[in-house]
Amino acid sequence: MTTGTKLEPAPAAKPATKAAPSDGKPAGGHTSLFETVIRQFNKACDLINLDPNTRRILAKPTNEISVNFPVKMDDGRVEVFTGYRVQHNSARGPFKGGLRFHPSVDIDEVRALAAWMTWKTAIADIPFGGAKGGIQIDPAKYSKRELERITRRFTFALGDNIGPEYDIPAPDVNTNAQIMAWILDTYLSTMPPHTRQGYGHVVTGKPLVSGGSQGRDKATGQGVVYLLEEWARDQKKPLSEISYFVQGFGNVGSWTARILKPFGSKLLAVEDHTGAIFDEGGLDADEVADFARHHGGIKGYPKAKPVDHDTFLSTKADIFIPAALENQITARTAPMLNVKLVAEGGNGPTDWDGDGILQQRGIQLMPDILCNSGGVVVSYFEWLQNKRSEFWDLEEVDHKLKKRMTAAYRSVRDTAAQHKTDWRTAAYIVALNRLETVYKERGIFP
Ligand code: GLU
């Protein structure tokens, strides 16, 4: 999950001041990601006549934190970085969501991703709200030691804006268990020594020995596969007869493909930031993942033929799994797709126009806020294990994850049927109904 030279271009890095305001109106010429969220949100609100007070509250993030912080580089220079944490909503529980390190990170992107987390945790029915954060940075340009100092200084700059019962970060694009371990260590180091043992759940997605959970690494991909099992059952077609292709071969894309392999589903094509490959006979997900790990990408994989981006998108298959960056399925690319289902492994791969075209063309879409929720569900399990000083085995984690993914799938599917609407809107409806109930019960202070 890195920048797309071959993928649809990532949104260009923009100064925070140019970002769209919270009412979703684009400020510059670019498409605002938060505007997409607001359009999706409005469609669902209109359909269910959401309480206007709840609607006004949910249309804006609760808090937006932006920090500029200096970090010493290996050569002695000091660079100043910009980091964000947007806390969209905490009505259902502590703010929760990942941190990404990417040049496209800006306030508008983080705002959108934070709102999606609020809907995601509500659909998965875990007691969290939604947040997201990140640093506008290309991590490939820095040494490991520099990345450690950047991560630690960002954590220090966030200070009390994160906390185990308040706002709990996790991995996202270009961040991993190692980065979570540095965040944990930095956060604990700023706390009085006698309290530190109680704060291990300030981040999730930690390495196992530092309080991580079994199954967290593969959780998003595992969640996608549990959902696809349900979908295949509804189609009355076994996964063994299903063909698919994947965009992005990072955590989500590669785990999804590797977990699908034993089912016998055929992986026809893969694209990442280095290029795209295709093999009619089917690619071996483990081998491709291995190759990508050793070569920094899939380009040059010997057992497949290279294809260009548009040919890749036109692959005829049952399922397309976009698991890279935002805005990949657009007015330009949606007409090229030749599949029955788009399963959004990444966040925001389909823009508003792309969504409309998929619907017109009768291509079903499993929305991000349902499809990739396995990660945050296992984050919740990790958080619970930390609080209870427990360690669950992989079987237990997977079993509990499957139960939640299946329940979420069925509630979205049934809501779509009930309201005769698309699955994205149905997923919003599930989330909004749960949030509306909380606001109705609790009221507004004072
Ligand atoms: N970054 C992941 C997501 O977008 C996981 C978030 C979490 O575990 O808190 O859902």
Side-chain angles (χ1 to χ4, degrees):
M1 295 203 291
T2 42
T3 333
T5 49
K6 291 288 188 326
L7 316 185
E8 293 300 300
K14 303 166 284 276
T17 47
K18 287 238 186 85
S22 304
D23 62 5
K25 295 201 183 69
H30 63 274
T31 313
S32 149
L33 210 57
F34 192 67
E35 186 192 0
T36 303
V37 175
I38 291 299
R39 288 169 117 176
Q40 297 169 346
F41 171 74
N42 282 338
K43 183 176 175 190
C45 289
D46 289 344
L47 206 64
I48 57 169
N49 260 320
L50 191 83
D51 169 65
N53 292 329
T54 308
R55 183 169 177 160
R56 270 191 288 275
I57 294 167
L58 293 175
K60 300 212 179 206
T62 304
N63 302 310
E64 300 190 344
I65 299 128
S66 153
V67 291
N68 297 312
F69 54 95
V71 181
K72 227 180 288 163
M73 298 291 105
D74 289 345
D75 64 5
R77 268 177 324 111
V78 168
E79 262 190 56
V80 176
F81 295 88
T82 302
Y84 304 95
R85 186 72 177 169
V86 172
Q87 297 166 331
H88 178 261
N89 190 274
S90 63
R92 300 183 68 265
F95 298 112
K96 184 83 189 84
L99 291 175
R100 62 170 59 177
F101 289 1
H102 195 275
S104 76
V105 168
D106 66 10
I107 191 71
D108 174 68
E109 183 186 69
V110 175
R111 202 179 264 150
L113 291 160
W116 280 325
M117 286 310 301
T118 300
W119 322 139
K120 202 184 292 187
T121 53
I123 294 160
D125 210 6
I126 52 177
F128 284 139
K132 199 79 165 205
I135 307 176
Q136 195 180 88
I137 181 186
D138 179 357
K141 293 198 179 131
Y142 297 90
S143 71
K144 189 172 175 192
R145 287 163 44 154
E146 286 171 334
L147 279 177
E148 175 175 352
R149 287 196 296 275
I150 293 165
T151 304
R152 288 183 180 277
R153 193 60 205 243
F154 178 45
T155 309
F156 183 74
L158 287 175
D160 281 349
N161 290 299
I162 60 169
E165 307 291 336
Y166 179 57
D167 183 356
I168 306 125
D172 197 76
V173 174
N174 291 337
T175 57
N176 55 24
Q178 172 64 77
I179 287 173
M180 298 307 115
W182 290 331
I183 295 174
L184 172 74
D185 188 70
T186 307
Y187 183 84
L188 295 185
S189 301
T190 64
M191 293 294 154
H194 68 283
T195 66
R196 285 178 192 161
Q197 296 304 332
Y199 294 145
H201 51 312
V202 65
V203 276
T204 58
K206 300 180 288 291
L208 267 181
V209 285
S210 297
S213 174
Q214 291 286 355
R216 176 62 186 85
D217 199 29
K218 71 173 174 108
T220 309
Q222 182 68 69
V224 173
V225 174
Y226 286 145
L227 293 168
L228 293 181
E229 278 187 87
E230 286 294 304
W231 180 81
R233 189 171 302 125
D234 283 346
Q235 304 298 306
K236 303 192 177 22
K237 197 170 172 181
L239 277 180
S240 58
E241 285 172 22
I242 272 170
S243 60
Y244 71 105
F245 62 109
V246 180
Q247 185 189 50
F249 221 57
N251 175 283
V252 183
S254 66
W255 273 115
T256 302
R258 290 171 63 194
I259 298 167
L260 274 173
K261 181 173 147 181
F263 287 91
S265 308
K266 198 193 251 186
L267 172 60
L268 288 172
V270 176
E271 181 179 53
D272 73 0
H273 64 291
T274 63
I277 52 172
F278 173 85
D279 184 19
E280 209 171 359
L283 295 152
D284 183 308
D286 291 305
E287 277 185 22
V288 176
D290 230 40
F291 182 89
R293 209 176 11 256
H294 289 109
H295 297 83
I298 58 167
K299 192 182 171 149
Y301 180 71
K303 294 189 191 164
K305 73 171 195 225
V307 286
D308 64 37
H309 178 53
D310 289 0
T311 309
F312 166 80
L313 288 174
S314 316
T315 303
K316 185 170 168 36
D318 294 300
I319 305 171
F320 173 39
I321 305 176
L325 292 169
E326 299 94 39
N327 295 331
Q328 298 299 311
I329 304 173
T330 61
R332 189 187 86 80
T333 59
M336 298 175 188
L337 295 185
N338 208 346
V339 292
K340 294 195 187 90
L341 174 73
V342 170
E344 295 184 323
N347 290 308
T350 312
D351 74 6
W352 180 259
D353 294 337
D355 235 334
I357 293 168
L358 294 186
Q359 278 166 46
Q360 272 166 22
R361 298 189 55 216
I363 296 176
Q364 204 190 341
L365 182 133
M366 199 182 279
D368 45 10
I369 50 179
L370 166 68
C371 191
N372 67 38
S373 59
V376 74
V377 168
V378 178
S379 275
Y380 168 54
F381 296 158
E382 178 175 331
W383 185 78
L384 271 185
Q385 290 171 75
N386 295 160
K387 275 166 78 95
R388 300 175 181 170
S389 301
E390 288 178 1
F391 283 102
W392 305 350
D393 59 27
L394 184 59
E395 244 186 355
E396 185 172 356
V397 170
D398 280 348
H399 174 73
K400 289 188 154 109
L401 174 63
K402 184 169 191 170
K403 250 174 99 176
R404 293 210 176 245
M405 298 309 295
T406 308
Y409 175 90
R410 291 181 185 165
S411 57
V412 172
R413 179 196 60 194
D414 297 349
T415 304
Q418 187 194 337
H419 290 272
K420 298 191 176 39
T421 191
D422 61 282
W423 281 41
R424 189 186 309 285
T425 307
Y428 268 76
I429 291 174
V430 171
L432 295 176
N433 280 332
R434 290 182 179 154
L435 285 150
E436 184 185 38
T437 307
V438 175
Y439 278 106
K440 282 205 167 137
E441 280 169 6
R442 285 175 47 172
I444 300 296
F445 171 81

